[in-house]
Amino acid sequence: MYNLHIATIAIMAANVLVSLRGFSDITFFERYKFSISGIRAGQRERTVTSGFLHVDISHLFLNMFTLYFFANVVINWFGPGKFLIIYFISLIAGSLLALFFHKNEPHYSAVGASGAVIGILYAAILLRPDMQLGIMFIPIPLPAYVLGIAYLLYSIYGMKSRHGNIGHTAHFGGAIGGYVTTLLFKPDLFVTDTLIVILLAIPIIILFVLEKMGKI
């Protein structure tokens, strides 16, 4: 059995409890979701509270299922304290990037732990680049860093095309948060896994180059 650390259980419990409240109380949901207009009005707590709300059970399950698989990789390397720091920095980074890219869209809103969870996923990839991950429709597992890079490139595409009802910007921001914080905690990765560090940085550089060029 895959043993969960109490820190992971606490994060999961918070997501479940807040999401269940949001499912049954639309006023609560609207008050604490990520909202450009709400944040502009001074409700900055939305940048954090939105990360514990979800649209429905399947949205909640997918995020918690992903966290279930990768939380222990980070905890085993860094301990629960730094795991929680990476989680919350990734959550906030996702919100801040969404705020930056959508600042002129007062009706833009989003919910979900995806930014924080993807931050943990990217931390795990940096720490264990040898991991093999499976994906639907591809019969063989692929190196984790390949899927990580591919996902960020897909997120850039999603941000450009507004493809699907998905918070691509928050996902990308969460990945940046997990990437940067992991390197701050373990700077020797620049030496021991230089190629992986560079490869994972490429989509981040592409995003900001495109933004500077006005392409996103």
Side-chain angles (χ1 to χ4, degrees):
M1 183 177 177
Y2 192 83
N3 293 319
L4 288 177
H5 192 279
I6 186 65
T8 310
I9 294 171
I11 288 291
M12 288 181 167
N15 273 278
V16 169
L17 292 173
V18 174
S19 292
L20 289 176
R21 172 73 185 274
F23 295 158
S24 61
D25 185 343
I26 189 63
T27 302
F28 178 86
F29 184 90
E30 291 293 325
R31 172 59 184 82
Y32 292 107
K33 71 180 183 181
F34 181 91
S35 163
I36 295 293
S37 58
I39 293 168
R40 279 183 168 179
Q43 297 167 352
R44 295 184 179 87
E45 68 277 5
R46 289 175 182 263
T47 58
V48 175
T49 57
S50 59
F52 291 89
L53 289 167
H54 290 81
V55 173
D56 52 32
I57 288 290
S58 62
H59 185 206
L60 173 64
F61 174 79
L62 180 61
N63 278 329
M64 296 303 99
F65 188 66
T66 305
L67 184 64
Y68 168 83
F69 278 110
F70 296 102
N72 269 9
V73 175
V74 179
I75 291 172
N76 288 342
W77 275 86
F78 287 142
K82 288 182 177 178
F83 161 77
L84 291 172
I85 289 171
I86 294 171
Y87 185 92
F88 280 99
I89 285 179
S90 299
L91 191 165
I92 294 167
S95 291
L96 291 178
L97 196 70
L99 187 61
F100 174 75
F101 275 97
H102 301 286
K103 56 183 177 292
N104 297 320
E105 303 170 45
H107 299 296
Y108 181 87
S109 64
V111 294
S114 301
V117 171
I118 290 175
I120 294 298
L121 170 61
Y122 271 79
I125 291 172
L126 275 170
L127 296 168
R128 286 282 313 279
D130 59 320
M131 283 191 302
Q132 299 285 308
L133 301 180
I135 189 170
M136 288 187 298
F137 311 122
I138 298 178
I140 58 172
L142 296 171
Y145 70 89
V146 172
L147 291 179
I149 293 166
Y151 185 80
L152 283 192
L153 293 174
Y154 167 71
S155 293
I156 292 174
Y157 164 74
M159 291 165 67
K160 283 175 61 65
S161 65
R162 302 300 177 95
H163 180 67
N165 188 28
I166 300 171
H168 295 287
T169 315
H171 294 182
F172 205 106
I176 294 173
Y179 175 86
V180 172
T181 310
T182 300
L183 290 174
L184 288 173
F185 285 155
K186 193 171 171 53
D188 61 292
L189 288 170
F190 284 108
V191 177
T192 60
D193 290 283
T194 307
L195 180 60
I196 298 299
V197 170
I198 292 172
L199 289 174
L200 287 173
I202 289 172
I204 298 171
I205 295 167
I206 289 172
L207 174 70
F208 286 102
V209 168
L210 289 174
E211 192 278 329
K212 285 291 184 183
M213 295 172 62
K215 298 292 182 69
I216 294 182

